[in-house]
Amino acid sequence: MLLLPVAEWKTAENSGFKPLLGFLFCLFCFPSFCLKKMNNETTTLISLKEAMKRVDHKLQALEAQFKELDFTKDNLTQKFEHHSKTLASQAAQDELWTAVLALRFTSMELNILYSYVIEVLICLHTRVLEKLPDLVRGLPTLASVLRRKVKNKRIRIVWESVLEESGLQEEDITALCTFFIAHGNKAEHYTSKVRQMYIRDVNFMITNMVNNQALQDALLRAVQVTEKGKAVKAPAEQKSSLKELIPSVKN
């Protein structure tokens, strides 16, 4: 068209050249525009995928942190529970020792209670040795049984069975041993006949003069084991008077 004369070129331009130029422009520019748009969309998609990967990594990191926090929380909870149990046990032991040292018994009454306590402890030790005849030399005292049962499963199983047979619990042994340690050096053992001469109802005496529940239960069970061979439920509180407890001078 450029080879046409100027007059014809102008005529051609006026008649249909402009639409042709628009068509050519669209023909060459639209693909470029589309390509550019596709490139932009591809770039956006890639950026979105990278962003999703970063979010996924952050979520994984957060999940790992939460797992670590849960693990730390469980450890702290276990330590707290163990510490709470330890404090509760120490508080109970302190209360028990206070109750044992605060007992206001006469020498005769203390001797009677000591007699029941020492007979029960000896009975338990004897029953353990009967079940473990090969360990007689290694278990000369009840203290050795209590000490070795912690690490020796066989001794522990026998000890638990002896307690069950006697109707006693570990708390009872703790209370009885505490009583023995506190008063054993100054108390005297009374036989059954002598005990009956001094007092008729030892259960009533214990119930009314021992305020600490753990110590009271342990002493009552010690009386039952000594007299009946096995402890049962704590007897009902008697209504007899103090005068009925102590025999008359004539008796």
Side-chain angles (χ1 to χ4, degrees):
M1 183 179 291
L2 295 176
L3 299 178
L4 294 175
V6 176
E8 295 180 0
W9 181 78
K10 289 182 179 181
T11 302
E13 180 182 7
N14 292 332
S15 62
F17 185 65
K18 287 183 178 180
L20 179 61
L21 288 176
F23 174 75
L24 292 175
F25 176 80
C26 293
L27 182 63
F28 289 102
C29 294
F30 182 73
S32 177
F33 171 77
C34 293
L35 182 61
K36 184 177 181 181
K37 186 176 181 181
M38 291 176 62
N39 289 334
N40 292 337
E41 291 178 352
T42 303
T43 303
T44 304
L45 184 60
I46 293 174
S47 301
L48 181 60
K49 289 182 177 180
E50 292 178 352
M52 291 179 65
K53 287 182 179 179
R54 290 194 297 269
V55 171
D56 186 57
H57 291 160
K58 289 183 179 180
L59 289 176
Q60 291 179 359
L62 288 174
E63 185 179 1
Q65 290 178 0
F66 276 117
K67 288 182 179 180
E68 184 176 357
L69 289 174
D70 286 338
F71 180 75
T72 304
K73 181 202 69 174
D74 293 339
N75 284 339
L76 290 175
T77 301
Q78 291 178 358
K79 290 181 179 179
F80 176 77
E81 291 177 352
H82 177 72
H83 187 61
S84 299
K85 290 180 180 179
T86 302
L87 290 178
S89 177
Q90 291 178 351
Q93 290 178 5
D94 293 341
E95 184 178 353
L96 177 62
W97 271 101
T98 302
V100 169
L101 295 175
L103 292 175
R104 292 294 179 265
F105 287 113
T106 64
S107 296
M108 177 266 294
E109 293 168 341
L110 189 64
N111 290 337
I112 290 175
L113 293 181
Y114 168 79
S115 300
Y116 283 110
V117 170
I118 191 63
E119 287 184 16
V120 168
L121 297 180
I122 292 175
C123 176
L124 294 176
H125 182 227
T126 302
R127 292 182 183 181
V128 170
L129 296 183
E130 289 175 353
K131 294 177 179 292
L132 298 171
D134 56 316
L135 297 179
V136 172
R137 290 188 176 183
L139 302 172
T141 62
L142 182 64
S144 62
V145 175
L146 298 177
R147 183 175 60 254
R148 292 189 58 184
K149 75 180 179 63
V150 177
K151 296 183 178 180
N152 191 307
K153 183 178 180 181
R154 183 184 173 203
I155 297 176
R156 182 168 62 254
I157 292 175
V158 170
W159 170 252
E160 291 174 354
S161 67
V162 169
L163 286 184
E164 185 177 359
E165 292 170 0
S166 304
L168 298 173
Q169 301 175 359
E170 287 286 353
E171 293 80 5
D172 299 325
I173 306 306
T174 300
L176 296 178
C177 289
T178 303
F179 181 92
F180 174 79
I181 294 172
H183 301 291
N185 61 333
K186 57 184 177 182
E188 181 183 351
H189 178 263
Y190 285 171
T191 63
S192 177
K193 291 183 178 180
V194 176
R195 292 196 295 263
Q196 292 176 4
M197 289 173 56
Y198 283 119
I199 194 165
R200 291 176 180 172
D201 193 344
V202 66
N203 292 321
F204 181 85
M205 182 185 74
I206 294 171
T207 303
N208 286 273
M209 299 187 68
V210 179
N211 296 324
N212 182 273
Q213 192 63 49
L215 180 59
Q216 183 185 118
D217 292 341
L219 291 174
L220 290 173
R221 292 189 181 106
V223 173
Q224 292 174 347
V225 172
T226 303
E227 295 181 350
K228 301 178 182 179
K230 182 176 181 179
V232 292
K233 290 184 178 181
E237 192 171 323
Q238 303 292 331
K239 295 184 179 180
S240 55
S241 63
L242 289 173
K243 292 182 179 179
E244 296 176 353
L245 297 178
I246 303 175
S248 62
V249 177
K250 294 181 179 180
N251 293 333

